[in-house]
mmCIF file of all heavy atoms in Angstrom:
data_model
loop_
_atom_site.group_PDB
_atom_site.id
_atom_site.type_symbol
_atom_site.label_atom_id
_atom_site.label_comp_id
_atom_site.label_asym_id
_atom_site.label_seq_id
_atom_site.Cartn_x
_atom_site.Cartn_y
_atom_site.Cartn_z
ATOM 1 N N ARG M 185 66.740 42.058 109.006
ATOM 2 C CA ARG M 185 67.392 41.035 108.135
ATOM 3 C C ARG M 185 68.724 41.441 107.600
ATOM 4 O O ARG M 185 69.479 40.873 107.051
ATOM 5 C CB ARG M 185 66.499 40.515 107.060
ATOM 6 C CG ARG M 185 66.184 41.688 106.124
ATOM 7 C CD ARG M 185 64.869 41.387 105.330
ATOM 8 N NE ARG M 185 64.394 42.531 104.622
ATOM 9 C CZ ARG M 185 64.547 42.778 103.382
ATOM 10 N NH1 ARG M 185 65.314 41.872 102.584
ATOM 11 N NH2 ARG M 185 64.052 43.849 102.773
ATOM 12 N N TYR M 186 68.962 42.802 107.822
ATOM 13 C CA TYR M 186 70.043 43.473 107.274
ATOM 14 C C TYR M 186 71.400 43.357 108.092
ATOM 15 O O TYR M 186 72.506 43.614 107.679
ATOM 16 C CB TYR M 186 69.900 44.884 106.810
ATOM 17 C CG TYR M 186 68.934 45.053 105.828
ATOM 18 C CD1 TYR M 186 67.804 45.646 105.893
ATOM 19 C CD2 TYR M 186 69.219 44.485 104.496
ATOM 20 C CE1 TYR M 186 66.863 45.820 104.881
ATOM 21 C CE2 TYR M 186 68.382 44.514 103.384
ATOM 22 C CZ TYR M 186 67.194 45.197 103.495
ATOM 23 O OH TYR M 186 66.369 45.333 102.543
ATOM 24 N N LYS M 187 71.216 43.094 109.433
ATOM 25 C CA LYS M 187 72.339 43.173 110.410
ATOM 26 C C LYS M 187 73.215 41.961 110.091
ATOM 27 O O LYS M 187 72.825 40.971 110.039
ATOM 28 C CB LYS M 187 71.756 43.257 111.733
ATOM 29 C CG LYS M 187 71.051 44.493 112.176
ATOM 30 C CD LYS M 187 71.903 45.707 112.139
ATOM 31 C CE LYS M 187 71.221 47.002 112.671
ATOM 32 N NZ LYS M 187 71.141 48.109 111.633
ATOM 33 N N ALA M 188 74.444 42.430 110.092
ATOM 34 C CA ALA M 188 75.523 41.338 109.878
ATOM 35 C C ALA M 188 75.894 40.519 111.164
ATOM 36 O O ALA M 188 76.617 39.538 111.034
ATOM 37 C CB ALA M 188 76.737 42.008 109.325
ATOM 38 N N TRP M 189 75.309 41.021 112.266
ATOM 39 C CA TRP M 189 75.735 40.366 113.548
ATOM 40 C C TRP M 189 74.490 39.858 114.292
ATOM 41 O O TRP M 189 74.472 39.707 115.498
ATOM 42 C CB TRP M 189 76.403 41.391 114.480
ATOM 43 C CG TRP M 189 75.576 42.730 114.650
ATOM 44 C CD1 TRP M 189 74.562 42.868 115.558
ATOM 45 C CD2 TRP M 189 75.632 43.799 114.005
ATOM 46 N NE1 TRP M 189 73.968 44.026 115.519
ATOM 47 C CE2 TRP M 189 74.640 44.661 114.497
ATOM 48 C CE3 TRP M 189 76.448 44.314 112.954
ATOM 49 C CZ2 TRP M 189 74.491 46.018 114.097
ATOM 50 C CZ3 TRP M 189 76.191 45.701 112.396
ATOM 51 C CH2 TRP M 189 75.251 46.391 112.978
ATOM 52 N N GLY M 190 73.447 39.531 113.538
ATOM 53 C CA GLY M 190 72.248 39.033 113.977
ATOM 54 C C GLY M 190 72.233 38.068 115.113
ATOM 55 O O GLY M 190 71.458 38.060 116.149
ATOM 56 N N GLY M 191 73.105 37.086 114.965
ATOM 57 C CA GLY M 191 73.157 35.849 115.849
ATOM 58 C C GLY M 191 73.226 36.229 117.230
ATOM 59 O O GLY M 191 72.485 35.688 118.119
ATOM 60 N N ARG M 192 74.088 37.172 117.548
ATOM 61 C CA ARG M 192 74.421 37.423 118.955
ATOM 62 C C ARG M 192 73.369 38.303 119.628
ATOM 63 O O ARG M 192 73.488 38.381 120.894
ATOM 64 C CB ARG M 192 75.835 38.079 118.930
ATOM 65 C CG ARG M 192 76.301 39.015 120.178
ATOM 66 C CD ARG M 192 76.660 37.943 121.188
ATOM 67 N NE ARG M 192 77.328 38.740 122.453
ATOM 68 C CZ ARG M 192 76.611 39.202 123.297
ATOM 69 N NH1 ARG M 192 75.191 39.297 123.247
ATOM 70 N NH2 ARG M 192 77.131 39.884 124.377
ATOM 71 N N PHE M 193 72.608 38.978 118.946
ATOM 72 C CA PHE M 193 71.702 40.004 119.454
ATOM 73 C C PHE M 193 70.294 39.545 119.533
ATOM 74 O O PHE M 193 69.821 38.904 118.786
ATOM 75 C CB PHE M 193 71.786 41.319 118.690
ATOM 76 C CG PHE M 193 73.001 42.039 118.824
ATOM 77 C CD1 PHE M 193 74.417 41.558 118.556
ATOM 78 C CD2 PHE M 193 73.013 43.468 119.232
ATOM 79 C CE1 PHE M 193 75.497 42.314 118.686
ATOM 80 C CE2 PHE M 193 74.206 44.144 119.510
ATOM 81 C CZ PHE M 193 75.563 43.587 119.265
ATOM 82 N N SER M 194 69.675 39.995 120.751
ATOM 83 C CA SER M 194 68.276 39.656 120.861
ATOM 84 C C SER M 194 67.370 40.891 120.726
ATOM 85 O O SER M 194 66.049 40.737 120.520
ATOM 86 C CB SER M 194 67.973 38.844 122.165
ATOM 87 O OG SER M 194 68.470 39.680 123.253
ATOM 88 N N GLN M 195 67.912 42.118 120.814
ATOM 89 C CA GLN M 195 67.249 43.370 120.722
ATOM 90 C C GLN M 195 67.579 44.112 119.439
ATOM 91 O O GLN M 195 68.779 44.105 119.151
ATOM 92 C CB GLN M 195 67.532 44.220 121.937
ATOM 93 C CG GLN M 195 66.644 44.217 123.133
ATOM 94 C CD GLN M 195 66.953 45.330 124.111
ATOM 95 O OE1 GLN M 195 67.967 46.026 123.962
ATOM 96 N NE2 GLN M 195 66.222 45.328 125.225
ATOM 97 N N PRO M 196 66.681 44.756 118.876
ATOM 98 C CA PRO M 196 66.913 45.554 117.705
ATOM 99 C C PRO M 196 67.720 46.778 118.219
ATOM 100 O O PRO M 196 67.746 47.263 119.312
ATOM 101 C CB PRO M 196 65.568 45.979 117.049
ATOM 102 C CG PRO M 196 64.567 45.948 118.414
ATOM 103 C CD PRO M 196 65.085 44.924 119.296
ATOM 104 N N THR M 197 68.479 47.312 117.074
ATOM 105 C CA THR M 197 69.199 48.634 117.389
ATOM 106 C C THR M 197 68.176 49.814 117.635
ATOM 107 O O THR M 197 67.215 49.870 116.943
ATOM 108 C CB THR M 197 70.025 48.860 116.101
ATOM 109 O OG1 THR M 197 70.787 47.738 115.662
ATOM 110 C CG2 THR M 197 71.080 50.136 116.330
ATOM 111 N N ASP M 198 68.574 50.667 118.569
ATOM 112 C CA ASP M 198 67.803 51.829 118.751
ATOM 113 C C ASP M 198 67.730 52.672 117.518
ATOM 114 O O ASP M 198 68.621 52.772 116.687
ATOM 115 C CB ASP M 198 68.540 52.608 119.848
ATOM 116 C CG ASP M 198 67.940 53.952 120.088
ATOM 117 O OD1 ASP M 198 66.861 54.008 120.845
ATOM 118 O OD2 ASP M 198 68.326 55.019 119.520
ATOM 119 N N ALA M 199 66.521 53.127 117.317
ATOM 120 C CA ALA M 199 66.229 53.877 116.030
ATOM 121 C C ALA M 199 67.125 55.161 115.787
ATOM 122 O O ALA M 199 67.759 55.193 114.684
ATOM 123 C CB ALA M 199 64.773 54.396 116.021
ATOM 124 N N PHE M 200 67.418 55.731 116.869
ATOM 125 C CA PHE M 200 68.395 56.883 116.698
ATOM 126 C C PHE M 200 69.815 56.585 116.449
ATOM 127 O O PHE M 200 70.571 56.932 115.713
ATOM 128 C CB PHE M 200 68.222 57.948 117.739
ATOM 129 C CG PHE M 200 69.183 59.022 117.521
ATOM 130 C CD1 PHE M 200 69.049 59.932 116.438
ATOM 131 C CD2 PHE M 200 70.340 59.263 118.277
ATOM 132 C CE1 PHE M 200 69.937 60.916 116.085
ATOM 133 C CE2 PHE M 200 71.320 60.227 118.099
ATOM 134 C CZ PHE M 200 71.030 61.206 116.978
ATOM 135 N N MET M 201 70.169 55.390 117.199
ATOM 136 C CA MET M 201 71.460 54.796 117.100
ATOM 137 C C MET M 201 71.745 54.442 115.679
ATOM 138 O O MET M 201 72.886 54.592 115.084
ATOM 139 C CB MET M 201 71.546 53.533 117.986
ATOM 140 C CG MET M 201 72.919 52.864 117.953
ATOM 141 S SD MET M 201 74.406 53.837 118.137
ATOM 142 C CE MET M 201 75.658 52.855 117.554
ATOM 143 N N GLU M 202 70.755 53.984 114.933
ATOM 144 C CA GLU M 202 70.787 53.562 113.547
ATOM 145 C C GLU M 202 71.355 54.736 112.696
ATOM 146 O O GLU M 202 72.186 54.670 111.949
ATOM 147 C CB GLU M 202 69.648 52.921 113.156
ATOM 148 C CG GLU M 202 69.785 51.750 112.212
ATOM 149 C CD GLU M 202 68.722 50.740 112.335
ATOM 150 O OE1 GLU M 202 67.487 51.140 112.303
ATOM 151 O OE2 GLU M 202 68.958 49.617 112.586
ATOM 152 N N VAL M 203 70.473 55.839 112.911
ATOM 153 C CA VAL M 203 70.860 57.076 112.199
ATOM 154 C C VAL M 203 72.291 57.547 112.545
ATOM 155 O O VAL M 203 73.053 57.935 111.769
ATOM 156 C CB VAL M 203 69.864 58.232 112.538
ATOM 157 C CG1 VAL M 203 70.251 59.492 111.894
ATOM 158 C CG2 VAL M 203 68.441 57.700 112.293
ATOM 159 N N PHE M 204 72.436 57.479 113.879
ATOM 160 C CA PHE M 204 73.772 58.052 114.433
ATOM 161 C C PHE M 204 74.950 57.382 113.929
ATOM 162 O O PHE M 204 76.151 57.863 113.719
ATOM 163 C CB PHE M 204 73.751 57.915 116.060
ATOM 164 C CG PHE M 204 74.852 58.440 116.721
ATOM 165 C CD1 PHE M 204 75.060 59.852 116.812
ATOM 166 C CD2 PHE M 204 75.773 57.649 117.344
ATOM 167 C CE1 PHE M 204 76.095 60.311 117.576
ATOM 168 C CE2 PHE M 204 76.870 58.187 118.079
ATOM 169 C CZ PHE M 204 76.987 59.497 118.214
ATOM 170 N N SER M 205 74.743 56.046 113.744
ATOM 171 C CA SER M 205 76.002 55.307 113.471
ATOM 172 C C SER M 205 76.200 55.057 111.783
ATOM 173 O O SER M 205 77.139 54.477 111.402
ATOM 174 C CB SER M 205 75.975 53.844 114.092
ATOM 175 O OG SER M 205 75.112 53.077 113.533
ATOM 176 N N ALA M 206 75.072 55.379 111.124
ATOM 177 C CA ALA M 206 75.209 55.102 109.694
ATOM 178 C C ALA M 206 76.214 55.990 108.929
ATOM 179 O O ALA M 206 76.424 57.359 109.312
ATOM 180 C CB ALA M 206 73.845 55.358 109.078
ATOM 181 N N SER M 207 76.983 55.417 108.114
ATOM 182 C CA SER M 207 77.993 56.203 107.247
ATOM 183 C C SER M 207 77.643 56.272 105.727
ATOM 184 O O SER M 207 78.302 56.837 105.041
ATOM 185 C CB SER M 207 79.337 55.753 107.544
ATOM 186 O OG SER M 207 79.473 54.390 107.210
#
Side-chain angles (χ1 to χ4, degrees):
R185 66 200 165 102
Y186 292 120
K187 294 290 186 236
W189 55 83
R192 162 77 173 77
F193 285 59
S194 51
Q195 261 190 357
T197 312
D198 174 81
F200 181 66
M201 174 57 190
E202 220 147 52
V203 176
F204 183 74
S205 70
S207 54

